[in-house]
Amino acid sequence: MRKNIYLPMVLVVSFFIRFQNYNKVFSSIILPVGYDPYYHLRLAEVIVKSGYRPNFDYYINYPYGLKIGWPPLFDYILSIPGILFGFKATEIFAMIFPVILGVLSTLLVYLISKEVLKNEYFAILSALIFAVTPAVVQISVLGFCDYHIWNIFLLLCSIYFLLRNDWTSLLLSIFVTLLTFSWMGAPIYIALIALATLTHFNDKKILTTAMCIGLATVSYVIKPFLGLAILMIVLFLVVGYFVRKIEIHKKYITIYYIILCIFVIFIFYCLPFKELSFVREGINYLLGRNVYLPTIAEAQSFNLVGIIDEIGLFVFFLAIPSILLYELTYKNKFILTLFIATLFLAIIQIRFTTVLAVPVSLYASYTLCILLNRMGYPIFEKEKEESRERKLKNVKKNKKSKNKYKDKQISITDRFFVILFIFFVISTSLIGAIRPFDMSDSWKNALIWINKNTEKTSYYLHPDKKPEYSILSWWDYGNWIVYIAKRPVVCNNFQIGAVDAAKFFTAQSEDEALKIVKKRCVKYVITDNKMRLGNGTVKGKFQAIMRIAGINPETLGLNKTLELYKNSMYYKLHFENAMGLKNFKLLKDFGSVKIFVVRY
């Protein structure tokens, strides 16, 4: 089998593994995967049907509304087909777009691997491992139209062109700029690029990279703090350029400089200046220093088991030996720096495992290549031939050895065992890449029923105006309610309004709960089985609801927690069907999901 067909095969695998849940996504209505994608699609719907991208939305955090803070590029990309052909085209495109980006990202890992090590097999295996990495697959499956895979794609484009030695390396400037117009966390990824550049490249490349990144400061026009953060990264590279020219301790001067910069950032974090608030906010975001982030699965910290699961058990441990090898570590400090920095980020927040997947794929691939080469398969054929030509002085002997190596044939049985071995290595990744569909039939039916059978609210397509009432549920389900039911919500996946929702569901009296629904103009309440109290065998959200309400279940103890739970509004509504409550009535039961109407 020729090498040039391996890459198309890997891309086909990358494509089909992302088409899971096809029958759920394209059902009676088009349903995205996850939670946040529903809000991106909601903004795209407003762009297509109203002609503008709103900066404020009264349909979330009702009745106060919320400013839409992130850059608009991704939402405009989703809306382009709808502007041309109608919103249905945007819905279909939004479902397929993450799959396309996932496949293109796989191709980019192949190209990056070719730049790192000029070996076709190494590049193919790197791409294959990346293609099936659970953390990457889960953000690029069919229907997951969030900007995570878009950001990874832009980061990979930036890395690929940075590693090139010709004029195309200047294209880095385009992709880092697009990144800043897509995501408020763009400086995190750009800082990774700058850090790896400083440790790996020569002085000229450092200045060129600083110049390319500097173009992204134009993001100041949409978000001033983004422009300032990018400017700090440029200064980091420029000062680093001059520091590297210091002769004293030249071998370690770069490391000393990086440690000094970390110390300076810590000082900026501590200084009480308003102008430096973006530094504090960025670090607090990374450290998860608010009441909401610890309750979000993708923001969990110090979860090494979770990181290994997100990478794939066999792949993670296969990567470790290559970190200690000269070829891919000391010879290529770019990948080593990327690995150390992304591992640190993943430990702080598990969501960054998607970026860690890039260096891990390369390291695991190299170890796999070494194993196959020692088993007798000519993975490093070209390198071996060049080594022979340098070492053997006898021309005749050299020619004989070369011909003998060329004549070596790999049988079909051998190829079968290689494929079987590779499949075994990625098997844990394939299992972890399976993503169950988030929205149950109960939720889908409930939301469609609300849309068709309750009083419609105004200004869905003009969210800068206030509608008539809201629906209260837990924040996980807010974006579903807004997009499918077309109704305002008290809280959604941005967690704003979650405190009031938590206080409502943990309220110990109807009067206490009624104050919250009056304050938030709530007309309907939706509950779900998953909001119940969890235990050793049953997962539940009620412990997280308690924490956000200001109640610590660990401090309270098991008995008092059970007492609070069974006296809570959630329990009285969902399990007792509002029996004995004056102001709440069960309106519709969809099994695991129930709808209640509020009567003032």
Side-chain angles (χ1 to χ4, degrees), residues 43-178:
L43 291 180
E45 184 176 11
V46 175
I47 293 171
V48 171
K49 295 182 178 179
S50 297
Y52 73 103
R53 198 259 199 179
N55 294 318
F56 193 88
D57 193 349
Y58 274 114
Y59 266 67
I60 53 180
N61 191 35
Y62 190 88
Y64 312 112
L66 185 68
K67 185 177 180 180
I68 309 304
W70 64 84
L73 180 60
F74 183 75
D75 299 321
Y76 278 115
I77 290 172
L78 292 184
S79 66
I80 290 172
I83 293 171
L84 298 174
F85 306 108
F87 183 65
K88 190 74 173 179
T90 278
E91 284 189 298
I92 296 171
F93 172 72
M95 300 304 102
I96 299 173
F97 190 45
V99 177
I100 296 170
L101 291 175
V103 174
L104 290 177
S105 296
T106 301
L107 176 61
L108 283 165
V109 168
Y110 166 82
L111 295 173
I112 289 168
S113 302
K114 287 292 291 285
E115 292 295 326
V116 170
L117 188 66
K118 306 295 184 183
N119 186 288
E120 182 73 13
Y121 294 112
F122 166 71
I124 290 292
L125 289 173
S126 298
L128 176 62
I129 292 169
F130 179 83
V132 300
T133 299
V136 180
V137 173
Q138 290 175 13
I139 63 166
S140 56
V141 294
L142 182 74
F144 194 80
C145 50
D146 202 350
Y147 54 30
H148 296 307
I149 188 60
W150 168 248
N151 297 336
I152 294 295
F153 169 73
L154 293 177
L155 174 64
L156 290 172
C157 287
S158 302
I159 292 173
Y160 170 63
F161 286 108
L162 176 63
L163 291 174
R164 291 183 64 86
N165 293 319
D166 54 19
W167 67 269
T168 59
S169 62
L170 298 176
L171 295 176
L172 164 70
S173 58
I174 296 174
F175 296 104
V176 294
T177 304
L178 290 176

Side-chain angles (χ1 to χ4, degrees), residues 35-48:
Y35 301 97
D36 289 351
Y38 283 84
Y39 196 77
H40 284 291
L41 207 52
R42 182 266 199 287
L43 291 180
E45 184 176 11
V46 175
I47 293 171
V48 171

